[in-house]
Structure formats: C-alpha cells, structure tokens
Amino acid sequence: MAEKSTPLLAVLQLLRKYNLKGTEEILRKEASLGDAEYETLNLPEVEIASILTAHHTESDPYSYEFAYEGLKKFIENSLDVYKYELSTLLYPVFVHMYLLLIIYDHNEHAAKFLEKFGPEQEDYYQDDLAKLCIVKHKDQIKFNELAQIYSANKFEVQLSRDVSSQLKRFLQEQKSSTVIINIINNHIQIDVHDGPGRNQAQVRATAGGLLGEATRNENRAKVYYGLLKEPEIEVFPVPAEDEEEAEETPDKPKKKKAKKENMYMKKPKSDPNAPPIDRIPLPELKETDKIEKVKALRAKRVPLGPDCLPSICFYTLLNSGHSAICADICDDSTLLAVGFSNSIIKVWTLTPVRLRGMKSADKLQDIDKEAGDVLVRMMEERDRDTCRTLLCHSGPVYKVGFDLFKTMLLSCSEDSTIRLWSLHVWTCLVVYRGHTWPVWDVKWSPHGHYFASCGHDRSARLWATDSYQSLRLFTGHFSDVDCVQFHPNSNYIATGSSDRTVRMWDCLTGSQVRVMSGHKSTVFTLAFSVCGRWIVSGGTVGDILVWDISNGSLTAALPPSHSGPIHALAFSRNGTILSSGSLDCTIKLWDFTQITEEIVNDESGSTASTSKDEKYLLRSFATKNSPIKSLHFTRRNLLLGVGTYEGSS
C-alpha cells in the first residue's frame, strides 16, 4: 500500500462509500488486493476528489494539446539562464502525452498531436519518433520496443535548483498542468544540481540519450584508470634476426646490446591511480609469451607528433563487394583476419613467412616434448600457405580478434555464438553460448585470458578462455550494445549502444561505474587512450567524442570531419596520435596530445568543452572507394588500414 494515491484505490473507496459490494468485489479480485490492504484503505475525501479529477483530466483529449502549448510557451518566455535546461522537458512530456492519448483510445487526436508537435522536437530524436509513430492503437504498445522502453523507465533530466523552482512555480499556478505533473511524477526523473543553469551549448553537449542525460550520482564511483605495473621479465639475449637493428656504431654492438638490456631491467614506476595488481587474477606469462613481450619492447618506435605523422599502409580487399564485414590485425602485425557475410573467416599472413599446419597425430607422438623448439617441430613443413579459411559459423561474422600472442582468434556471429580458434591447428576449440541474439562485438583483454562480448540482447558479458560459461553479465543499456572495449588495465570494460550512451563496467563486481551521454547517434566504436584516463567513441553520423574516465564527463567533441559512420579508432603506440576510419572512405589523424593538454589546463571548470576549430585535425587521407574496416598501429608506429574496394563511385 505504498502507493495509495492511485485511481484504482480511490475508485475502490468510492464503491465502498456507496455500498456497491458486487462491483467492489469484482474490482478487488482483478486488482489482487488482499483483505489486510483493503481494511487499511482510508483516503481523505479531498484526496479522492483530486485523484478522480486528475483522472478525468487525463482522459480529456483536448487537455493534452492545451497543456503542452502552455508548457512550451512558458519555456520560450523564460530567461535564457532557465530556458535551455527547461527545454529538455519538452521531448519526454511530448512522448508520454502521445502514449496517453493512445492508451485512452484518442487515436485521431494522438495522430494530430504527433503531426503538430513532432517536427519541433530535436533533430536527434526524429528517428525515435519515426519508430514511435507506428503505434496507432493501445494494443500495439506492447509490441513496440521504443514504447515499452519509455513506459518502463524514467527519462533523466538535469535541472539547476533555480530552474527547478521556476518549474514548480509554473505548475502550481497553471490549472491545466495536472497532466504534466502526473507525467513528471511517473515518467521523468529530475536530477537537481547546485550552481547556475547551463547554456545551450552545455545542454546540447550532454543531451541525446534515448532516456535523457546521465545523472551525477551514476558517475561518483571510484575508478582505477591507471595502468598495471608490468611484471618483471628476464631479458633474453637478442635473437640473430634482431641484430640488424643495431644500425649505429656497428663496431661496438655488444655495448649497445648490454645497455639496452639494462634499460628493460629497470623497475617501472607504479601509477597512483592504478588498481592493485591482484585485484583481477591474471594468468602467468609462459616463456614463449615473455619472449614475445621482449620483442615488443625492443621494437624501435618512431616518436609521432604534429611534425612527424605516421606512414599508412592500406590493405584493400578486392572482389569482396559488401561481403567483408570486419577485419583485425594481430599485435605484431604479421597476420590479418577478415570475417565475411557468408560465415567464413580468412586469415592471411602479411610477411613472407607462410602459415603452417600441424602434423598428424602419429607424427606428433615421435616429437620430444621437452625440446625447446617443440612448437616448431609440431608444424608440418610441406603444409604451407599464405591464407587459411576457418569454417564453423552459421551466420555472418561480425567481429574477429587476435589474442596478444597470436596463438588464438576470437569471432562472433549472427548465430549468437562466440568461437575460439586455434592458430596452430586451424580449427575451432570452443563454442561460447550465452547470448540469445546476434553478437555484434568481441574483444580480448590486453593481458589475455579474458574477453568481452556484446550483442542484440542489450547485454555485455565477460568470459575466460578456461570456462565455457560467462563470468559476468552487464545489463543496463536500453537498446543493442554495439561495441565493447577493454580498459588497458583489464579491470574495466566500456560499451557503446544504440541508446546513444557509453557505459563503463567493473569486471570485479559486475557493477556499472560510468554512464556517459552526449552522442546523437548509435555508438559504433570505442578506444581507450594509452594512459588509460581517456576514452574516445565514434558514432554513426561521424561524431567523435572524448570522455574523461576520472569523472565521466564529456571533455571534447572533435570537429565534425567524417561524413559517414566511424567504424575504426586507433591510438599510436605512444598515445600522441588518434586515427579514425569511416565508411566515407577516409582516414583522419588527430593531435590527441593537444586535446588532452587543453582539457587538463581547463580542469578548473566542470562543464564540457564543445567543438572547436580544426586545429586538432592533422591530416586527412582518402582511399579510392574503400570504406575503412579496421585500423592498427604497428610496434614501430606505422599505421595499417583495412578496407573493401566497392568499385567506381
């Protein structure tokens, strides 16, 4: 009986007052109201009259248009300091008025209401209204995804304390505001903050989410955004093939090598914002993995910046049309994997070293397992090729991804499965089933062992390679979760969704720690900065936003340069250059150092900085007619791109 002030309870008490026992008994049974609850029912006469009057007002079709026009006129005549925050109420009030007209069978009035006020709503809500206008009868509400979302959840609106007071005063003075009051009480969550009202640019920067803005309380959790301290690795002697890297002073190669080895033996400084090393259990590195890490450390990296832009090598997939959906390049840039719409995955070698298959079981029995080169001996000498084909999925492959040490490959598909492939035996090892609808994205943890997935079922999941069941289930998005990305310290994952929000989740607890709103379109791709503090997201209208993980705020919106959806984001190995690839067939390079320096300098202000001029954009590269599928920086900071040639435009 927590919610006594409802039309149902008021009607029950009215029936009891007039001794209409038969009708009262039928209504009690349909409402499943117990005897104890019924006996404690004692609403004052004034409250009963108020409830029934409000209910009568809600059933009057003409009251909605009158009330909405009154609210709109009040907002337009308000001072600028109040106007822009108040305007965020117009869309949710409009939507729920339309749904209430449908519920009360005023279908013609609902259509006229939508036709009159629909075009006035913000441009980023027009696609939602196009889906909502399909609802023409109350029986169709339960079959419309968007109507169900709005009916079951509250729309988030942020107002300053002064603006909230102005709204209350208006609602108390207007007799026709009963409908608006009920909508605000039942369907809108107002988050009141201290300080002055926000201006138009500030309001628009954080607006756009399917259910409004992110509230401040949702971003107060502590986030360890620092990097983990790397484990100490014994430095092995330099392999013979790496000796050519000692270009300078060839007459003293030994001294050079010794100096380099000592450099890698230095203990890295611990990051004060880093999580405890044992917060998430991470697997111990194998000897072969340690060798691979040392190779990565020894790579001679080119220091990129505005005066030293990377060279770009672009791999074009010919004769693939629209069949190639996704691509990925392994960490050492030697393998390329592509997923196709016909459920096939192809893996190419990008070096002269060909892909070798494994020997038969009979031959494997004769191999010395204790030998240091046992992995080399396991491979068949004659079975060599430049490309391998992987078959098992029964639907289009939406994402592929190599693990850190290029021994395994992950893929996800429309068939709602995730598959783990061995790059030694070239076959599927495990099928992970948990998602009930198509899986849009899958990503490896930077430290291996764990991976994350997301899909059409509005959820993301955390997995481990040694378990066929998911370890964590992350739910909270209101629409498809289209992309997922691991934080560099492997303690968090970020997700981007069709509800136009970016969220961060704690892998240890499974809880949501950040909600970031500001995109005006579906979020298609995410990338964490090398330092771990920033996350960049790309949307379907070419928008690129930079977020500060420490407080969950929008810190920069890059100038609109792409004319198509962003499908690839990649940071250079030193974190100074951000590259973006789009379906508009262009690759753009951004000065990320300048972006973050300006953000740090402006940290005294809590508001978001909006789009500035094109000083952040360093260079734009166009392909012939190849939409960008993937971007990858090599260990030496060469930028690799992958796309499909779609013929002459």
Side-chain angles (χ1 to χ4, degrees):
M1 295 300 294
E3 298 181 358
K4 287 185 178 181
S5 300
T6 64
L8 173 66
L9 301 181
V11 170
L12 272 171
Q13 189 163 331
L14 202 64
L15 292 173
R16 184 170 63 178
K17 177 182 177 182
Y18 291 105
N19 201 27
L20 301 172
K21 294 183 178 179
T23 308
E24 177 190 351
E25 190 65 29
I26 293 171
L27 187 58
R28 279 181 60 193
K29 286 182 180 179
E30 289 188 0
S32 302
L33 199 66
D35 292 335
E37 294 173 319
Y38 177 69
E39 293 300 328
T40 57
L41 185 61
N42 187 22
L43 296 177
E45 293 286 337
V46 177
E47 190 171 355
I48 292 175
S50 175
I51 293 171
L52 296 180
T53 302
H55 186 68
H56 174 72
T57 305
E58 288 183 351
S59 62
D60 178 14
Y62 296 98
S63 64
Y64 290 87
E65 184 175 340
F66 185 71
Y68 186 81
E69 284 185 332
L71 176 64
K72 180 183 166 187
K73 188 176 180 180
F74 159 69
I75 293 173
E76 289 174 349
N77 294 333
S78 298
L79 298 174
D80 287 353
V81 71
Y82 305 137
K83 180 190 299 184
Y84 300 113
E85 280 197 336
L86 285 171
S87 64
T88 58
L89 285 167
L90 287 174
Y91 176 72
V93 169
F94 167 79
V95 166
H96 287 288
M97 281 186 173
Y98 176 76
L99 292 175
L100 284 172
L101 284 169
I102 295 291
I103 289 171
Y104 285 112
D105 290 323
H106 303 305
N107 300 331
E108 291 184 5
H109 285 87
K112 292 179 181 178
F113 184 77
L114 182 66
E115 183 181 356
K116 183 175 182 179
F117 298 111
E120 298 176 358
Q121 307 305 317
E122 296 286 354
D123 52 352
Y124 43 83
Y125 288 128
Q126 293 303 320
D127 289 342
D128 293 341
L129 292 180
K131 298 175 184 176
L132 200 63
C133 71
I134 300 172
V135 178
K136 303 292 186 183
H137 192 269
K138 63 182 178 183
D139 293 335
Q140 297 173 340
I141 291 179
K142 59 184 177 182
F143 300 110
N144 187 279
E145 180 184 9
L146 205 59
Q148 285 288 83
I149 291 172
Y150 284 124
S151 300
N153 303 279
K154 288 194 172 185
F155 195 96
E156 300 284 350
V157 173
Q158 284 194 38
L159 301 179
S160 68
R161 202 166 296 281
D162 290 342
V163 175
S164 177
S165 300
Q166 289 288 327
L167 178 63
K168 288 179 182 177
R169 191 175 299 113
F170 163 74
L171 295 176
Q172 289 170 356
E173 293 173 355
Q174 296 293 318
K175 296 180 180 179
S176 62
S177 62
T178 308
V179 175
I180 298 175
I181 292 173
N182 289 337
I183 288 175
I184 291 175
N185 289 338
N186 297 323
H187 302 290
I188 299 177
Q189 181 69 45
I190 296 179
D191 180 30
V192 180
H193 63 87
D194 295 320
R198 296 170 294 164
N199 59 37
Q200 186 177 15
Q202 292 168 335
V203 169
R204 190 173 175 83
T206 56
L210 186 65
L211 286 172
E213 305 175 74
T215 60
R216 292 168 300 120
N217 291 334
E218 291 176 312
N219 293 328
R220 286 181 174 173
K222 168 73 173 174
V223 171
Y224 300 100
Y225 59 83
L227 304 182
L228 291 176
K229 185 179 179 181
E230 290 292 337
E232 296 181 15
I233 302 174
E234 181 183 354
V235 178
F236 298 91
V238 181
E241 61 267 24
D242 289 350
E243 288 184 359
E244 61 183 15
E245 294 182 9
E247 298 172 0
E248 298 179 4
T249 60
D251 54 328
K252 297 180 181 180
K254 292 184 179 179
K255 289 185 179 180
K256 279 283 180 182
K257 297 298 178 184
K259 188 175 181 181
K260 187 177 283 189
E261 288 176 11
N262 290 336
M263 180 178 67
Y264 292 125
M265 292 299 289
K266 291 179 182 177
K267 294 182 180 179
K269 295 180 180 179
S270 58
D271 191 330
N273 297 307
I277 190 68
D278 57 349
R279 188 173 185 268
I280 297 289
L282 297 173
E284 292 186 7
L285 292 176
K286 302 176 184 177
E287 290 301 320
T288 54
D289 299 340
K290 290 180 180 179
I291 295 173
E292 192 64 30
K293 264 194 171 293
V294 171
K295 284 184 180 179
L297 289 170
R298 283 203 175 105
K300 295 178 69 176
R301 186 178 300 160
V302 178
L304 299 180
D307 301 325
C308 182
L309 298 180
S311 299
I312 300 179
C313 176
F314 193 77
Y315 293 95
T316 304
L317 302 170
L318 300 176
N319 304 318
S320 58
H322 298 281
S323 61
I325 299 177
C326 59
D328 187 52
I329 298 174
C330 67
D331 185 69
D332 68 353
S333 311
T334 58
L335 298 176
L336 166 66
V338 179
F340 293 88
S341 59
N342 59 357
S343 75
I344 290 176
I345 301 170
K346 288 191 175 184
V347 181
W348 282 276
T349 176
L350 302 180
T351 65
V353 179
R354 293 182 173 241
L355 304 177
R356 298 165 63 185
M358 190 168 282
K359 293 180 179 178
S360 63
D362 296 336
K363 294 180 180 179
L364 288 174
Q365 291 179 352
D366 301 330
I367 296 176
D368 181 11
K369 297 179 181 178
E370 303 299 325
D373 59 344
V374 62
L375 288 176
V376 177
R377 297 186 183 188
M378 290 166 61
M379 297 303 167
E380 184 66 67
E381 284 296 324
R382 297 178 182 177
D383 187 13
R384 293 168 175 255
D385 207 344
T386 58
C387 178
R388 293 277 176 173
T389 301
L390 305 176
L391 292 166
C392 264
H393 281 296
S394 58
V397 179
Y398 291 125
K399 197 68 70 174
V400 290
F402 290 99
D403 75 327
L404 183 63
F405 307 108
K406 64 172 183 178
T407 58
M408 292 179 287
L409 178 77
L410 277 172
S411 63
C412 62
S413 169
E414 187 185 52
D415 61 14
S416 75
T417 66
I418 304 160
R419 291 182 180 266
L420 181 67
W421 308 82
S422 168
L423 301 183
H424 291 309
V425 295
W426 303 103
T427 189
C428 180
L429 301 178
V430 189
V431 181
Y432 299 95
R433 304 180 190 275
H435 290 279
T436 54
W437 293 96
V439 186
W440 302 131
D441 198 4
V442 64
K443 285 289 191 309
W444 281 101
S445 158
H447 294 85
H449 185 64
Y450 300 106
F451 61 92
S453 63
C454 62
H456 182 55
D457 57 6
R458 305 183 189 177
S459 71
R461 292 172 183 264
L462 177 69
W463 309 78
T465 52
D466 59 357
S467 173
Y468 62 88
Q469 291 184 333
S470 58
L471 306 180
R472 295 286 185 273
L473 174 64
F474 307 106
T475 58
H477 282 291
F478 300 105
S479 190
D480 290 35
V481 185
D482 297 283
C483 55
V484 65
Q485 187 64 263
F486 257 99
H487 190 276
N489 64 23
S490 297
N491 280 250
Y492 303 93
I493 69 165
T495 53
S497 169
S498 297
D499 67 8
R500 305 188 286 276
T501 63
V502 177
R503 297 171 189 254
M504 267 187 68
W505 313 83
D506 190 341
C507 294
L508 180 65
T509 63
S511 60
Q512 177 179 282
V513 293
R514 290 288 180 268
V515 181
M516 294 165 275
S517 64
H519 270 285
K520 310 301 186 287
S521 61
T522 299
V523 184
F524 264 165
T525 183
L526 299 166
F528 280 98
S529 64
V530 174
C531 67
R533 178 174 174 180
W534 319 98
I535 183 171
V536 183
S537 54
T540 55
V541 295
D543 46 334
I544 302 176
L545 304 184
V546 182
W547 312 86
D548 187 348
I549 295 171
S550 62
N551 53 25
S553 63
L554 173 64
T555 52
L558 299 188
S561 298
H562 287 290
S563 58
I566 309 292
H567 271 224
L569 290 169
F571 278 96
S572 61
R573 295 288 175 135
N574 54 359
T576 57
I577 299 293
L578 169 67
S579 62
S580 59
S582 168
L583 296 189
D584 65 2
C585 306
T586 62
I587 297 174
K588 297 186 185 293
L589 301 179
W590 307 85
D591 186 356
F592 197 73
T593 302
Q594 185 176 3
I595 297 171
T596 52
E597 282 179 354
E598 290 191 7
I599 293 169
V600 172
N601 293 336
D602 296 341
E603 274 189 342
S604 55
S606 59
T607 56
S609 59
T610 55
S611 302
K612 300 185 179 181
D613 56 26
E614 295 199 3
K615 60 184 176 181
Y616 298 144
L617 182 62
L618 298 175
R619 191 76 182 273
S620 181
F621 300 88
T623 63
K624 275 191 175 180
N625 193 25
S626 301
I628 315 302
K629 302 290 184 184
S630 177
L631 291 173
H632 170 82
F633 275 94
T634 69
R635 291 170 178 175
R636 296 192 179 190
N637 269 337
L638 170 69
L639 179 57
L640 305 181
V642 183
T644 56
Y645 182 62
E646 296 189 348
S648 300
S649 57

